[in-house]
Amino acid sequence: MISRLHDPDYDRWACQIKRTGGCRQPIHLRGKVEHYDQATGHLLHRYSTSIEPNGILRVPCKTRRASRCPACAEVYRADTYQLVRAGLVGGKGVPETVSSHPCLFVTLTAPSFGVVHARREKNGKVLPCHPRRDAQTCPHGRAMSCTDHHSADDPQLGEPLCPECYDYDGSVLFNAISPELWRRFTLALRRRFARLNGLTVKALREHAGIAFAKVAEYQRRGVVHFHAVIRLDGPDGPNSPPPPWATTEALTDAVDHAATAVTAQIKTLERTFRWGTQLDIRCITMDGDLTEQAVAGYVAKYATKAAECTGTLDRRIQPLDNLDALPIRDHARRLIGACMRLGSQPSLAELRLTHWAHMLGFRGHFSTKSRRYSTTLGELRAAREEHMRTEDFSTGRLPLFKEDTVLVVAHWQYAGQGLSIGEQFLAAALTGVRLPTISGDPR
Ligand SMILES: [Zn+2]
Ligand SMILES: [Zn+2]
Ligand SMILES: [Zn+2]
């Protein structure tokens, strides 16, 4: 910390750190950018990292995971919020009339893989977990009953009453196949909606479209479920109104049907997977219980979380890792163990369970949307970078060129990542973000 403070380049370093917005693990880049006049070939401007402290430019890591970098995850969360919100009320190139389109907020859950400890509430009162007067005893001698009133932070929540009885294989296989199950759900939904209105899927496209934005969330038991915004449009996406017969009721019917009907198989194991029976379909309205803002906030919140909330590791499991020695709860260890064991079977190779063991088998994207839902994260980022560049112009860092007459030649090299512990203290003071808990872990 002291050497950084006394460095003659300190001001420049501090400026870089401020621009990363408090990123905990900035990427170090070495390289240069040259701007040439396309007509004459004259070099107009050159920027090289050789003028930067240690010859390095520090840029934000842009992770979406709050456990890795709260500052960048916050940017991602805010972008996701804007993206979901634009699809509900308009903005970012989406017309405001979109708010009159029928729109549902749907939660698709996973089936049960065994009884787990749960916190149940009714009228603000916590109910007993899983009370059974004449509880059966499982083959491992455990009574299948729990009369505890679990607190919200009870680490037992989501853990099975009997780990030996729990279907760990089923749980990680469901996570692995859930993106396919989602894909089939969207196809079945379109098919059903078309048929309800006496059309083929192809003919439907000429009258109406169905747009999605979805986010995956891990439940405490370590299995993913999906929250989705499902909206009806006209043939030209959010820019056109849906026909009068494309109603909320018809959409609800189609969602209900598709969620119950679709299956996905793992042929080599002769196992068929489907959604759980807890299907939640709610109407999104401007003034009702479930407002656009609430939905956008909800989806964005889950976009920055991953499996670590279920007590697994925030990094890939290495082949040499000693599973027994990892600092995780037994339930997560068994889920990871199931991934490692199933992942070593050649017939399941394509599920890449070993690679995604730390995600408990899920290898899908956390937030996805259909092409016509609203704007994209890329466009939002480009808009922000454009804004940063305008700032650069006004601070004299880059000269103002006409875009189409300039040839940009850039050459960048990855030169590492992160901040030393001393630098972390300085960065926290400069950007006002929370300091990470410093542990013995060198990552
Ligand atoms: Zn970051
Ligand atoms: Zn319990
Ligand atoms: Zn048992």
Side-chain angles (χ1 to χ4, degrees), residues 141-163:
R142 292 188 178 93
M144 285 293 114
S145 170
C146 172
T147 51
D148 288 2
H149 300 252
H150 294 292
S151 65
D153 57 354
D154 190 332
Q156 273 197 81
L157 285 178
E159 304 207 345
L161 266 56
C162 176

Side-chain angles (χ1 to χ4, degrees), residues 99-413:
S99 65
S100 65
H101 296 198
C103 199
L104 298 175
F105 187 57
V106 175
T107 300
L108 294 160
T109 58
S112 169
F113 298 103
V115 182
V116 296
H117 292 283
R119 179 184 162 86
R120 283 178 239 281
E121 274 180 64
K122 200 177 178 184
N123 305 326
K125 257 187 76 183
V126 183
L127 302 177
C129 168
H130 190 77
R132 294 291 181 275
R133 192 159 314 179
D134 307 307
Q136 290 185 343
T137 307
C138 82
H140 313 97
R142 292 188 178 93
M144 285 293 114
S145 170
C146 172
T147 51
D148 288 2
H149 300 252
H150 294 292
S151 65
D153 57 354
D154 190 332
Q156 273 197 81
L157 285 178
E159 304 207 345
L161 266 56
C162 176
E164 267 77 34
C165 284
Y166 195 74
D167 181 8
Y168 283 97
D169 289 8
S171 177
V172 300
L173 288 169
F174 178 86
N175 281 350
I177 207 162
S178 61
E180 175 60 14
L181 206 50
W182 167 261
R183 194 184 67 86
R184 292 186 184 191
F185 165 76
T186 62
L187 297 176
L189 171 60
R190 286 200 171 96
R191 218 177 302 127
R192 174 73 176 185
F193 188 74
R195 194 175 300 158
L196 278 173
N197 293 292
L199 296 167
T200 62
V201 172
K202 201 172 162 213
L204 175 69
R205 239 174 272 150
E206 287 160 29
H207 302 281
I210 303 178
F212 310 94
K214 82 151 200 316
V215 58
E217 183 204 348
Y218 278 87
Q219 291 183 300
R220 295 285 284 259
R221 55 184 170 137
V223 75
V224 285
H225 64 181
F226 294 117
H227 303 285
V229 175
I230 305 180
R231 188 189 66 210
L232 282 175
D233 292 334
D236 191 24
N239 300 311
S240 53
W245 47 262
T247 60
T248 307
E249 290 71 36
L251 184 62
T252 307
D253 178 307
V255 166
D256 188 54
H257 175 88
T260 332
V262 288
T263 59
Q265 267 130 7
I266 296 176
K267 285 204 192 73
T268 49
L269 295 177
E270 291 182 17
R271 277 200 78 152
T272 303
F273 289 91
R274 58 182 75 236
W275 300 113
T277 46
Q278 281 185 333
L279 170 69
D280 188 40
I281 307 175
R282 289 198 279 168
C283 208
I284 305 173
T285 53
M286 286 287 241
D287 41 18
D289 288 345
L290 194 61
T291 62
E292 285 97 347
Q293 241 161 347
V295 168
Y298 197 52
V299 170
K301 184 177 119 205
Y302 287 115
T304 58
K305 286 194 177 165
E308 64 272 11
C309 3
T310 64
T312 171
L313 276 193
D314 188 15
R315 64 168 172 90
R316 208 147 264 164
I317 315 287
Q318 304 301 330
L320 292 177
D321 275 334
N322 178 0
L323 207 52
D324 293 332
L326 294 177
I328 50 176
R329 289 183 66 83
D330 185 54
H331 184 57
R333 196 187 320 278
R334 286 176 188 254
L335 287 164
I336 292 172
C339 287
M340 302 305 269
R341 184 163 33 76
L342 293 168
S344 65
Q345 295 183 16
S347 63
L348 297 173
E350 64 175 35
L351 297 176
R352 305 188 69 211
L353 286 164
T354 314
H355 194 75
W356 296 107
H358 65 301
M359 303 296 270
L360 313 178
F362 180 64
R363 65 191 193 291
H365 290 288
F366 271 82
S367 49
T368 56
K369 52 168 214 58
S370 58
R371 190 171 49 89
R372 281 192 150 159
Y373 179 75
S374 68
T375 181
T376 63
L377 282 176
E379 274 168 37
L380 285 176
R381 279 196 191 124
R384 193 170 39 239
E385 265 149 35
E386 183 57 41
H387 170 75
M388 295 272 273
R389 237 150 46 105
T390 326
E391 260 182 8
D392 283 337
F393 293 143
S394 50
T395 53
R397 210 166 148 209
L398 278 173
L400 203 48
F401 299 125
K402 272 213 182 100
E403 286 286 322
D404 49 354
T405 61
V406 176
L407 179 70
V408 182
V409 179
H411 179 76
W412 295 110
Q413 242 183 339

